[in-house]
Each structure stands twice: as structure tokens, then as C-alpha cells.
Amino acid sequence: MPSTSVDGYTLTVAGKLTPGQSGELTVDIAGGDEQGSDVQRYEGAYVHVTAIHAQTLAFADLTPLDSDQRGPEFDVPAKLSKSGDWRLFIEFQTGGQLHTAAITIAL
């Protein structure tokens, strides 16, 4: 499972996706004062994920399944069109501060 750290938080992405088919990713946010449960709503959701294909620059804007999920795990529906490497940019907010983490996944 790919993971990265940003601003004292560790993010891990799990899930198995098949190119061109609907699937689901789980974003786990650990750290901070409350082990990821201190994530605040930002622009209508607790996490926002943008995926960009490394070779073609195709992109997908992914929205969480349940905008009321409070964390530390967030389910995000995903349909990525092509195989290859996808760079995920994950935004979340804590204490009024916006954080952006980047993780690469391979399909």
C-alpha cells in the first residue's frame, strides 16, 4: 500500500482498481492530535482526490462516497481510464489548515 507523509500526517491509499472499471480507494489519514479524526470538512467533503495519469496527463476528480465520513478512513469511488502510473493529489483540512499529499499508484 503506497503511503506518504505531510505536515505530521501519514496517508495510506488502499484498494485494487482495474482500468476503465468503477472501483474504490480507501484513504487512511493517521497522525495529528487525534489520529486523523481531526479532519475538517473542506469545500463540502473531508477529502478531495485528483488523479493525473503520468504518461498522458488524463485526469480524474474523485469525490468521497459519503461526505459525512469523519475519518480516519475515507472511501473514495474511482474510475481511472488507463493502465500505468497515476499521481494522486489528496487534499484535507485540519485546524483550518489545508494539506496536500501526493502518492503514486500503478494500475
Side-chain angles (χ1 to χ4, degrees):
M1 291 186 287
S3 66
T4 191
S5 296
V6 62
D7 302 329
Y9 293 88
T10 299
L11 285 79
T12 304
V13 174
K16 183 173 172 87
L17 298 177
T18 301
Q21 296 183 10
S22 296
E24 185 174 286
L25 294 174
T26 299
V27 177
D28 181 73
I29 301 174
D33 294 337
E34 300 180 38
Q35 293 302 308
S37 63
D38 58 340
V39 176
Q40 301 168 328
R41 188 179 297 276
Y42 165 71
E43 293 187 358
Y46 289 97
V47 295
H48 296 268
V49 181
T50 301
I52 299 176
H53 191 266
Q55 290 78 28
T56 66
L57 301 181
F59 82 97
D61 186 17
L62 312 176
T63 303
L65 285 175
D66 182 353
S67 62
D68 290 331
Q69 283 183 297
R70 296 294 308 255
E73 289 186 356
F74 300 91
D75 298 325
V76 179
K79 183 175 182 181
L80 302 176
S81 59
K82 303 175 180 294
S83 61
D85 291 337
W86 286 84
R87 189 74 164 161
L88 306 181
F89 295 92
I90 304 166
E91 292 183 312
F92 65 100
Q93 180 172 282
T94 60
Q97 179 183 358
L98 184 62
H99 311 277
T100 303
I103 297 176
T104 300
I105 63 170
L107 295 188

